[in-house]
């Protein structure tokens, strides 16, 4: 019996060679054995074909193998051997397929299917990992045939690439590939060559090949693969940092709908070709073998294309991975806004959760690079909320902390870095995390806890990048804690170990400050001189010269001190140091009575720093110096000009000081240049008229701010003329006629307090709030916080009051209102039940010499109140009696002390003594009209009725 079997073995359309499913043609038989045997073989053959056609390749191969065992022979044996090998290959029995293909090549070296057999042999070797043998087979195939050479070259090059022989693969493909690829195998060669050129840095060649392949996109059997090639080449270029070229590659990627249309169109073309071949077979029977083999190849391509179309329809669009790649490349190029636009569009589109995490992370990084703190904060918190265990959690949290640190949100940064440090014992960012955590605490004034973190850093990283700074900061923490006994030796140790450190100038300066704190001015002078010699020209020069001046001033070497301060003025200092040095130098000259030098100093300052925040204050002192030189008229005119120039400038809050000085001079008749002639009285002097003469013209005072300042000036004039009621009336006009939003810091502070006195709580609050909002850096900020605290106290909101008083100290320094703030804080603490803390503050107020007066009386009263609430009535009586004995000028407080004393005696069971104090209260003329006196009368009636 003779079997003539024909099969087709097309290659896979991917970059990894294989053999696709095959289907045999119908057989022709020739009997060479008994009829019975022939019948048996025919049945076996028929069943094998059925198995093959249904895809049961293992069963088909077993049947064909059985035919060989039973002795099948004849002209069809070549086809039988080839089909057996194809069946084993399609059944993925690569070892058996390898043996069968090898047998075919040995039996039929010039056989009709030798090309396909060598191809199958090489692919089996590849599948089994015999890459060198496969390479030899591909090379043999290239030499033996021209029909399958293109495919053999493609597969050989792919194998060379897998073996790490990219240069050999490149040479092979460059020699084989035509300028314009036409066939499917040539397109596959071009795809492989494009990836190889990209991976070896031949950027433009890779892009040119990519463009060429995409021009063939409508004609390829696998447009989906070509589309993915653009991503692959783009990724290779991005990896090599050819970022702009990577974007060009990504730009070629087609959308899913377009690829779907191309794939479906390609299937329609294959179907039409198949139908055309059937028509040709019917018309020309002699071409049946040729056309049937072609149709088998078309059918295999159609089936594979159909599967790819189904995969494409079910699979995800390339749009999201493409946009993510583009966003990353834009980010690497520093084109952060483009990256943000791409990612925000993705965020608004449907996407899976894992993609959302990556999108949010990318947005966080881009906004971090652009220092868009608010956006980064929002996105980071959003990421951490949605993905608390996300793979980028640490990075997002670190960037959040760093962003807060960069914008001086020390509390926010400290919180984030503390969380990271608690969770992360070690890692790439641990050292910088510890340092920024410590720096945040340092900036918050938490020096003791900052020291702990710096010490932890040094313990872990004794030779780390930030070890020197950590060591220095530990010494600084002692310094800022006021522990100079520890700070001084720590700083000395540091400068000895690191004399050329970037921190050395600051360390030497701090050492000098330690000597100043120890009241050793001679050592300060010595250290400052040493500092100048060693660090001349350093940015700290102004601070050092100012400190030098302070030490000389303590030693009462005033001219030398003034000279040191003047040196600070010429050392390009900060505005704060400039202001300090200027006025300290001026103070020394004034104490020496060197008014000409004071005038020269202040005049030079005004000429050299016309826009300095202290310009108006300098004008004030210069005018005083002029007056001391006997040039009062010139000083008045000078003040008048400067007042006019700054009257409408809201930021110049020292204008009120100039107006006050002008009012003081105008309130007093100036000394005559020469005595009046005998018999003639001096002409009458009108302070109001004199003051008006130096005020700005109406055209310069036609704004609410200017008007308010002029009202203030007239209030000051009335005060200097000893007309307190008139002075208050002018302040009330400011409160009633000028909106808070028009006033400067000085008037907001004073008028706010005046409204507080008037009991207009809501309006006073609006003035204080405007002061905080518009002048967050003014030295008068403590007026606002104190006022808010006093208002809260009056309303019984003690926690709010305590917070405001703390802000007055912590945020505003309480330079002006420290007495009121301390007393108010004590009251708030008392009402919150924190009596020991309150007692300490009242004792502080009572013992501060500079605060003697009503504040002292109040502190004594509240110390009595604390004793009363503790039930220690005898001690309370002592405090209350001190009030109405020693501080009789404060009527309301005295009346309250009488009432509280009466309460104490009632509590002690001594009603007669209680009654005696109540009668004394109502009998005193200055107290009898007070509300407390009315209360006393009612209580007297009640006690007498008992």
């Amino acid at each position: 019996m003779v079997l003539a079997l024909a099969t087709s073995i097309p290659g896979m359309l991917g970059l990894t060679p294989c053999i696709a499913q095959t289907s045999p043609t119908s057989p022709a038989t020739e009997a060479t054995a008994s009829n019975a045997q022939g019948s048996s073989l025919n049945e076996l053959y028929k069943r094998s074909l059925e198995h093959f056609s249904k895809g049961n390749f293992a069963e088909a191969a077993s049947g064909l193998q059985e035919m060989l065992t039973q002795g099948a022979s004849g002209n069809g044996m070549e086809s039988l051997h080839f089909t057996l090998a194809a069946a084993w290959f399609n059944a993925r029995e690569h070892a058996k397929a390898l043996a069968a293909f090898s047998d075919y090549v040995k039996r039929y070296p010039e056989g009709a299917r030798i090309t396909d057999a060598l191809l199958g042999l090489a692919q089996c070797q590849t599948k089994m990992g015999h890459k060198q043998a496969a390479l030899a087979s591909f090379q043999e195939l290239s030499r033996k045939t021209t029909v399958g050479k293109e495919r053999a070259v493609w597969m050989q090059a792919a194998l060379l690439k897998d073996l790490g022989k990219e240069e050999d693969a490149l040479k092979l493909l460059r020699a084989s590939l035509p300028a314009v690829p036409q066939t499917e195998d040539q397109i596959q060669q071009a795809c492989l060559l494009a990836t190889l050129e990209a991976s070896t840095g031949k950027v433009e060649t890779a892009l040119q090949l990519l463009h060429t392949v995409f021009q063939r996109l409508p004609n390829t059997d696998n447009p989906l693969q070509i589309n993915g090639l653009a991503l692959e080449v783009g990724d290779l270029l991005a990896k090599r940092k050819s970022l702009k070229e990577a974007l060009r590659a990504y730009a070629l990627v087609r959308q899913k709908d377009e690829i779907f249309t191309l794939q479906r169109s390609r299937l329609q073309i294959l179907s039409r070709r198949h139908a055309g071949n059937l028509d040709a077979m019917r018309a020309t029977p002699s071409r049946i073998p040729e056309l049937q083999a072609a149709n088998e190849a078309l059918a295999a391509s159609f089936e594979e294309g159909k599967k790819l179309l189904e995969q494409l329809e079910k699979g995800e669009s390339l749009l999201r991975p493409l946009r993510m790649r583009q966003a990353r490349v834009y980010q690497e190029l520093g084109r952060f806004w483009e990256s943000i636009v791409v990612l925000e569009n993705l965020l608004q589109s449907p996407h899976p959760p894992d993609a959302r995490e990556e999108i949010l992370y990318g947005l966080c990084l881009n906004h971090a690079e652009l220092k868009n703190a608010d956006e980064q904060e929002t996105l980071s918190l959003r990421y951490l909320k949605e993905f608390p265990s996300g793979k980028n959690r640490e990075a997002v949290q670190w960037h959040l902390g760093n962003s807060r640190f960069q914008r001086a949100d020390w509390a926010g940064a400290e919180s984030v870095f503390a969380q990271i440090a608690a969770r992360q014992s070690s890692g790439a960012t641990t050292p910088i995390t510890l340092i920024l955590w410590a720096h945040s605490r340092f900036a918050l004034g938490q020096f003791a806890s900052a020291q702990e973190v710096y010490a932890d850093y040094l313990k872990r990283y004794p030779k780390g990048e930030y070890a020197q700074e950590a060591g220095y900061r530990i010494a600084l923490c002692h310094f800022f804690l006021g522990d100079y006994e520890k700070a001084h030796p720590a700083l000395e140790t540091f400068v000895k170990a690191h004399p050329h450190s970037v921190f050395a100038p600051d360390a030497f300066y701090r050492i000098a400050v330690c000597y100043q704190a120890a009241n050793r001015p001679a050592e300060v002078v010595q250290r400052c001189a040493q500092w100048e010699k060693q660090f001349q020209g350093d940015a700290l020069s102004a601070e050092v010269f100012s400190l030098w001046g302070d030490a000389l001033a303590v030693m009462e070497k005033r001219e030398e001190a003034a000279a040191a301060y003047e040196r600070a003025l010429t050392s390009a200092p900060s505005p704060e140091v400039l202001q300090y040095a200027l006025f300290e130098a001026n103070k020394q000259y004034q104490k020496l009575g060197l008014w000409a030098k004071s005038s020269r100093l202040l005049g030079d300052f005004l000429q050299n720093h016309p826009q300095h925040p202290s310009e108006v204050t300098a004008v004030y002192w210069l005018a005083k110096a002029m007056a001391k030189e006997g040039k009062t008229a010139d000083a008045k005119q000078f003040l008048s000009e400067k007042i006019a120039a700054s009257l409408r400038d809201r930021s110049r809050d020292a204008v009120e000081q100039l107006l006050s000085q002008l009012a003081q001079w105008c309130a007093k008749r100036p000394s005559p240049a020469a005595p009046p002639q005998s018999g003639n009285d001096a002409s009458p002097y009108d302070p109001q008229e004199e003051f008006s003469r130096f005020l700005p013209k109406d055209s310069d005072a036609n704004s609410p701010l200017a008007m308010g300042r002029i009202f203030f000036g007239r209030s000051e004039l009335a005060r200097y003329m000893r007309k307190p009621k008139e002075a208050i009336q002018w302040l009330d006009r400011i409160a009633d006629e000028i909106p808070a939003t028009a006033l400067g810091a000085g008037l907001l502070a004073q008028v706010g307090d005046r409204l507080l006195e008037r009991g207009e709580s809501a309006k006073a609050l609006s003035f204080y709030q405007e002061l905080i909002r518009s002048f967050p850096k003014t030295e008068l900020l403590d007026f606002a916080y104190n006022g808010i605290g006093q208002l809260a106290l009056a309303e019984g909101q003690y926690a709010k009051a305590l917070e405001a008083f703390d802000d007055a100290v912590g945020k505003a320094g309480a330079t002006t209102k420290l007495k009121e703030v301390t007393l108010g804080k004590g009251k708030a603490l008392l009402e919150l039940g924190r009596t020991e803390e309150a007692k300490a503050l009242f004792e502080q107020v009572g013992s501060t010499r500079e605060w003697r007066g009503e504040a002292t009386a109040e502190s004594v009263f509240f110390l009595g109140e604390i004793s009363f609430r503790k039930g220690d009535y005898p001690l309370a009586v002592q405090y209350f009696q001190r009030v109405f004995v020693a501080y009789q000028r404060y009527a309301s407080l005295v009346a309250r002390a009488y009432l509280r004393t009466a309460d104490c005696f009632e509590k002690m069971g001594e009603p007669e003594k209680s009654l005696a104090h109540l009668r004394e209260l109502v009998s005193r003329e200055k107290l009898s009209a007070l509300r407390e006196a009315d209360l006393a009368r009612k209580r007297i009636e009640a006690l007498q009725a008992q």
Side-chain angles (χ1 to χ4, degrees), residues 680-698:
N680 293 331
D681 294 330
S683 59
Y685 177 75
D686 185 350
Q688 296 280 4
E689 182 181 340
E690 178 75 359
F691 186 67
S692 298
R693 193 162 66 87
F694 290 104
L695 286 178
K697 297 177 180 178
D698 291 343

Side-chain angles (χ1 to χ4, degrees), residues 128-437:
M128 296 173 67
H130 305 158
K131 294 185 178 181
Q132 291 296 340
L135 191 59
S137 297
F138 282 130
Q139 291 170 343
E140 179 68 15
L141 178 60
S142 298
R143 287 193 296 271
K144 280 202 168 189
T145 180
T146 56
V147 177
K149 186 171 184 178
E150 291 175 353
R151 182 162 301 184
V153 168
W154 159 41
M155 293 183 175
Q156 184 181 343
L159 189 56
L160 286 168
K161 180 189 174 195
D162 289 344
L163 289 168
K165 299 180 179 180
E166 286 88 355
E167 286 300 323
D168 292 341
L170 281 165
K171 289 178 183 178
L172 181 62
L173 290 171
R174 287 168 181 167
S176 172
L177 188 66
V180 181
Q182 299 292 336
T183 67
E184 189 66 27
D185 289 334
Q186 288 174 352
I187 290 174
Q188 294 300 328
Q189 287 183 24
C191 290
L192 180 56
L193 182 57
T195 62
L196 288 167
E197 298 284 18
S199 66
T200 55
K202 300 295 190 298
V203 176
E204 290 300 327
T205 304
L207 287 173
Q208 183 57 48
L209 281 164
L210 197 58
H211 279 281
T212 300
V213 169
F214 265 81
Q215 288 173 357
R216 305 296 300 163
L217 195 62
N219 303 317
T220 182
D221 289 343
N222 191 354
L224 182 61
Q225 176 214 343
I226 303 300
N227 210 37
L229 177 69
L231 286 180
E232 184 178 1
V233 171
D235 290 350
L236 288 167
L237 295 174
K239 186 177 180 180
R240 296 188 64 87
K241 302 304 178 185
S242 297
L243 301 175
K244 293 181 180 179
E245 292 76 9
L247 288 174
R248 288 165 57 189
Y250 293 144
L252 291 172
V253 176
R254 302 292 192 267
Q255 298 301 321
K256 180 178 178 179
D257 291 345
E258 184 178 351
I259 296 299
F260 188 88
T261 301
L262 287 172
Q263 190 75 33
R264 188 165 53 187
S265 175
R266 189 63 182 166
L267 290 179
Q268 291 171 353
I269 291 171
L270 293 175
S271 181
R272 286 197 296 270
R273 285 182 184 174
H274 190 279
N277 286 343
L278 290 176
D279 292 341
M281 281 191 281
R282 285 191 289 270
T284 313
S286 61
R287 295 186 62 198
I288 287 176
E290 169 201 346
L291 294 171
Q292 190 169 5
N295 266 8
E296 289 168 357
L298 287 171
S301 294
F302 184 88
E303 288 302 317
E304 188 167 351
K306 187 177 178 182
K307 290 179 182 177
L308 290 171
L309 189 64
E310 291 171 356
Q311 293 174 10
L312 177 62
E313 194 169 14
K314 295 177 183 177
E316 184 187 3
S317 167
L318 288 178
L319 180 63
R320 184 187 60 78
L322 169 67
R323 293 290 182 257
M324 288 302 301
R325 285 169 164 84
Q326 289 173 322
R328 282 193 292 268
V329 171
Y330 279 133
Q331 184 179 334
E332 287 194 63
L333 283 168
R335 294 163 62 179
F336 303 114
W337 277 118
E338 287 96 327
S339 182
I340 287 170
V341 169
V342 172
L343 291 170
E344 284 183 343
N345 286 334
L346 281 176
L347 196 62
Q348 302 304 318
S349 306
H351 51 268
D354 60 331
R356 183 175 185 81
E357 180 183 359
E358 191 175 359
I359 292 167
L360 284 174
Y361 176 58
L363 285 169
C364 289
L365 292 188
N366 282 311
H367 282 295
E369 292 289 349
L370 289 169
K371 293 182 171 46
N372 294 332
D374 292 341
E375 291 84 350
Q376 185 198 343
E377 174 98 6
T378 300
L379 286 162
S380 297
L381 294 175
R382 185 175 177 184
Y383 175 98
L384 294 170
K385 181 180 180 181
E386 293 187 26
F387 304 99
S389 301
K391 62 181 180 180
N392 297 304
R393 173 189 170 86
E394 296 296 332
V396 169
Q397 199 167 25
W398 191 89
H399 281 291
L400 173 62
N402 186 53
S403 171
R404 289 177 173 178
F405 185 88
Q406 295 301 325
R407 66 177 192 271
D409 177 6
W410 312 120
E414 194 279 335
S415 173
V416 172
F417 289 131
Q419 293 175 42
I420 297 174
R423 191 172 56 249
Q424 182 189 81
S425 59
S426 63
T429 60
T430 301
I432 185 64
T433 296
L434 288 173
I435 286 296
L436 293 180
W437 184 22

